[in-house]
Amino acid sequence: MDDAVIVGAEIVAGHDGSAELLVRLRHPDGSEGPVVLDEETGLKLMEACAAGSLDDLKGQSWRRIVETG
Amino acid sequence: MFDVIVKGGLVVDGTGAPAFTGDVAVKDGRIAAVGKVEGEARQVVDAAGRVVAPGFIDPHTHFDVQLLWDGAARPALEHGVTTIVPGNCSLSLAPLKAADRRRVVGMFQQIEEMPPEAFTTAFEWSWEDFAGYVAAIRKGLSINVAPLVGHSVIRLWVMGNASQERAATPDEIAAMQDLLRECLDAGAVGLSTSFVDVDENGRPVPSRFAQFEELDALCAVLGEYGRMLQCVPEFYATDITIARIDQLAELSLKHNIPTTFSPLFDTAAVPDNAPRAIARVEEHFARGARVWPQMQTRPIDISFSLLRPSLFFARLPRWVRILRQPLDERLAALRDPETADKMVADLGPDGGEQMMGRLVVRGGDAAPSELVGKTLSEIAAARGEVPARALINLSLEHGLDVAFLSASQGHQLTDRIGPMLAHPLVHIGASDGGAHLASFATYGDTGYLFSEFVRKGRYLSLEKAVAKVTSETADIWGLKDRGRLAEGLAADIVVFDADNIDRGAELPSFDMPGDGMRYVRAARGVDTVLVNGEVAYSSGAYTQSRSGVICA
Amino acid sequence: MPLTRQRRFVTPGPDETVEELALRALPGEPLEAAVDRIKSWNLHIFAMRKPAGLLLGSDVVFVEPPVG
């Protein structure tokens, strides 16, 4: 199947006062939806994707999120 | 002879009706008269120039533990809150077998961030059943308590370790139903459940292992009593929130019970999050279901220190890289002049003024007390440094144990939130009072309601704002004796200055057992608070009154 | 009064695995593709759950991508 990919990411204020990573995914049918990653998972995802900035996450497969979680 | 007359104030009776100048008389803990009151009283409270309103009701708190040594749930009471609902998010301190205490303490510490001494030295743990817990807190109350019982502890009582492993059997569900009935008979005002919380090991709390059928069976019991189901849903995930709303609506309709979920946040990152959720709630109310979204008034802040990496620096890859290193290497990197120069340069020509200048030193850690509450911009100017350099150096000087606060980073847009708070189906709540102690202050949301959304934004009239946190809350929760200044009802009364009521600055306080730290906000503009007819707080001080009750 | 269409979801049965749920929710699809779809639509479960892969009876599991 075609993969859902990250099309955007930004920092949001988490319920517990931490900074969290909100990742927007585009699915193969063109629909989009957000997923919120806690601070630890967000940082791991950035490292796993060698992302120097949030923009560097664009184009990454949803699988990276599961792999790093 | 009345016991108390609150005299000459602007009476805002909690119904939303226009305010009027008048008196409120109290006799035997109840409101005896409202209007122009003739007669004598043992005590007169001069309310000239002040608002006289019903005491505020906070429907989402975690004061379960604190109530065992602090019957005022400080500082909730001084903010004008006269009734609190603890036991939210599937966790309460009863029913709980002695053998399971350690396990539940871990869950509480995860949510409340309370020091261990709070559970070992601050009270004698004498109860197992819900009636025992109620008896343990009842004797010292100066605030009213309408406690929820937690689904997770009910499940733990019946299933033991299996409560965090598997679905319940029909017999176990029946046992949970019996136990819930027992708790409701002992004073619980409803059941709380959670779809998001984890224990101290990151494992989902027991309620999350329940099939919908189990929750349905428990709601059947709530239906026998007409009581509330509270849940905490996933955050910022609108589709999931709507799925939860649909589940709650199904339970509400089937069992004729009120339900509430908390919190509902607004966020610029997902701008249709709250509006879509509210639209779904409207659809369900039109069908007869009761699904009340709780929305907090205060914005969400982000806090961090350099002791741990934070996504606050996500736009600064070098900072993230350095802060992810082990502590020794991180310290070495930060101390290296060349590396620090590069980090500062990453912020651009303003040296981090725009991104970091408004950060506030929080205190409660190794930060010098004279810096607490100051902005990094102010501190940097005094040090003759740019903000980014000051952040690094100040952290290094104190072993990196300096917490910084980035205020109002979520749920912060008054012009969006104001109309939502005024929406007739939005329930103002979700304060989380008594939780997240070491992360942020969960007190003063009512003060912020009046300062930000009544005085500044004018999204709610004074009367409407009072009604939202008094009669409407009482009606939603079925607290028949509360929420209005009307003859015969319980005399929970707050006298406040409409021009000044507010929440104070967030400050560290070492008033938890074992000198544990929490962040608090003092009240501003609240003169007097009466609970069941007795003055519990006046002129900036708590009294010896213990007139709080377990209320239904 | 009919409700507006929202994203469809199911909840896991007792001890149901993601594979079993995928086959139930997406009958006729090859197992691997079905599991992939379920996971990609439900990162709120599969990104951060401890232990990884644990399905809970209370989980909302979407069986289609976001609507619209």
Side-chain angles (χ1 to χ4, degrees), chain A residues 13-15 17 22 39 43 47 52, chain B residues 236 300 303 310-311 317 324 432:
Chain A
H15 166 250
L22 186 144
E39 193 148 42
L43 286 163
E47 186 178 37
Chain B
Y236 299 135
I300 310 173
S303 61
S310 170
L311 282 167
R324 283 187 63 86
D432 251 355

Side-chain angles (χ1 to χ4, degrees), chain B residues 141-221:
Chain B
L141 291 180
S142 47
I143 198 168
N144 299 314
V145 177
L148 289 164
V149 59
H151 184 182
S152 283
V153 295
I154 283 182
R155 207 166 199 271
L156 178 60
W157 179 287
V158 171
M159 298 176 67
N161 289 343
S163 66
Q164 281 182 286
E165 293 169 357
R166 61 167 172 82
T169 65
D171 285 348
E172 288 167 337
I173 290 173
M176 285 187 236
Q177 288 182 300
D178 289 343
L179 187 55
L180 175 56
R181 276 189 198 94
E182 189 182 300
C183 297
L184 293 166
D185 287 336
V189 299
L191 175 76
S192 68
T193 194
S194 171
F195 301 120
V196 301
D197 287 292
V198 296
D199 66 16
E200 74 275 29
N201 300 313
R203 190 170 181 84
V205 294
S207 67
R208 298 178 64 189
F209 288 80
Q211 302 293 129
F212 187 73
E213 291 74 12
E214 177 182 321
L215 192 56
D216 180 61
L218 292 173
C219 287
V221 175

Side-chain angles (χ1 to χ4, degrees), chain B residues 299-379:
Chain B
I300 310 173
D301 306 328
I302 289 176
S303 61
F304 64 88
S305 74
L306 301 193
L307 279 173
R308 282 173 290 279
S310 170
L311 282 167
F312 177 81
F313 299 106
R315 293 175 184 82
L316 299 169
R318 190 193 316 273
W319 286 64
V320 171
R321 205 164 53 244
I322 289 168
L323 296 178
R324 283 187 63 86
Q325 295 175 349
L327 184 60
D328 289 349
E329 293 171 41
R330 193 183 328 152
L331 283 165
L334 293 168
R335 286 184 183 126
D336 175 51
E338 192 178 332
T339 303
D341 285 348
K342 287 178 182 171
M343 292 174 73
V344 173
D346 287 342
L347 274 298
D350 76 349
E353 180 59 40
Q354 188 177 350
M355 180 179 173
M356 299 174 174
R358 281 173 290 178
L359 292 174
V360 172
V361 171
R362 305 192 69 194
D365 46 24
S369 58
E370 67 270 20
L371 298 185
V372 173
K374 287 199 161 72
T375 66
L376 193 56
S377 188
E378 293 167 335
I379 293 166

Side-chain angles (χ1 to χ4, degrees), chain A residues 31-49:
Chain A
S31 63
E32 290 185 12
V35 60
V36 181
L37 306 177
D38 61 31
E39 193 148 42
E40 181 187 351
T41 308
L43 286 163
K44 278 186 188 171
L45 177 67
M46 291 190 70
E47 186 178 37
C49 296

